[in-house]
Amino acid sequence: MLDFLLRNRSDQSEITSVMKSITNGRGADIAMDFAGVSAAVDTCIASVRIGGCVLLAGSVFPVSDISISPESIVRRMLTIRGLHNYLPVDLISALQFLERSADRFPFADLVTKTFPLSETQLAFEYADEHRPVRVAVQPGR
């Protein structure tokens, strides 16, 4: 759920705070990164609960290293998994989860601004300049 284009720690602490708030202080059961941005990976790790799982699927190209505290991983009993070359059925399953869960989780609140497909470059520029949690690009709009 936390697939963000983040660049600084203040964004991470804000997102982690929101995750703690909507989970009554526990943190997320699972945090998934599909962006492959180091700050997003850091945010996923910071946002999961004790015993939580971090799934990294976007880290398929070289980026800056992240710093992980082994003590934090052990004390929080975290599982960090990598996923590469997922199948189309996996994407279908993820989209079905989002459809089933739309009323249970505030996914729409994470989207700051929506752009039509023809303005994809503007969406990237907006995300880079304003650093929102999520920007959407909507085909057919």
Side-chain angles (χ1 to χ4, degrees):
M1 186 167 124
L2 296 177
D3 177 15
F4 303 108
L5 296 172
L6 302 174
R7 300 273 198 295
N8 62 55
R9 292 274 176 198
S10 63
D11 290 334
Q12 178 189 26
S13 64
E14 180 182 348
I15 291 165
T16 302
S17 176
V18 169
M19 284 305 302
K20 298 282 185 184
S21 173
I22 65 176
T23 60
N24 296 318
R26 284 184 58 213
D29 293 331
I30 301 171
M32 298 175 273
D33 169 59
F34 297 98
V37 176
S38 296
V41 173
D42 281 338
T43 302
C44 286
I45 293 169
S47 298
V48 294
R49 66 172 174 80
I50 292 173
C53 179
V54 176
L55 176 69
L56 307 177
S59 298
V60 295
F61 50 87
V63 296
S64 60
D65 290 343
I66 62 169
S67 176
I68 298 177
S69 164
E71 177 192 11
S72 176
I73 301 300
V74 170
R75 288 190 183 273
R76 293 172 56 209
M77 299 180 289
L78 300 183
T79 300
I80 301 175
R81 306 273 323 235
L83 174 66
H84 193 260
N85 293 334
Y86 51 87
L87 300 172
V89 70
D90 298 320
L91 181 58
I92 291 168
S93 177
L95 291 173
Q96 288 171 341
F97 165 78
L98 292 174
E99 286 177 342
R100 284 192 316 272
S101 304
D103 295 335
R104 292 179 36 212
F105 302 107
F107 296 126
D109 295 345
L110 298 175
V111 178
T112 302
K113 190 167 181 176
T114 301
F115 292 84
L117 185 59
S118 62
E119 295 179 4
T120 301
Q121 183 60 38
L122 289 175
F124 280 109
E125 291 169 6
Y126 178 87
D128 188 47
E129 181 180 341
H130 298 281
R131 309 253 191 263
V133 172
R134 170 67 77 200
V135 171
V137 174
Q138 187 173 15
R141 189 178 142 204

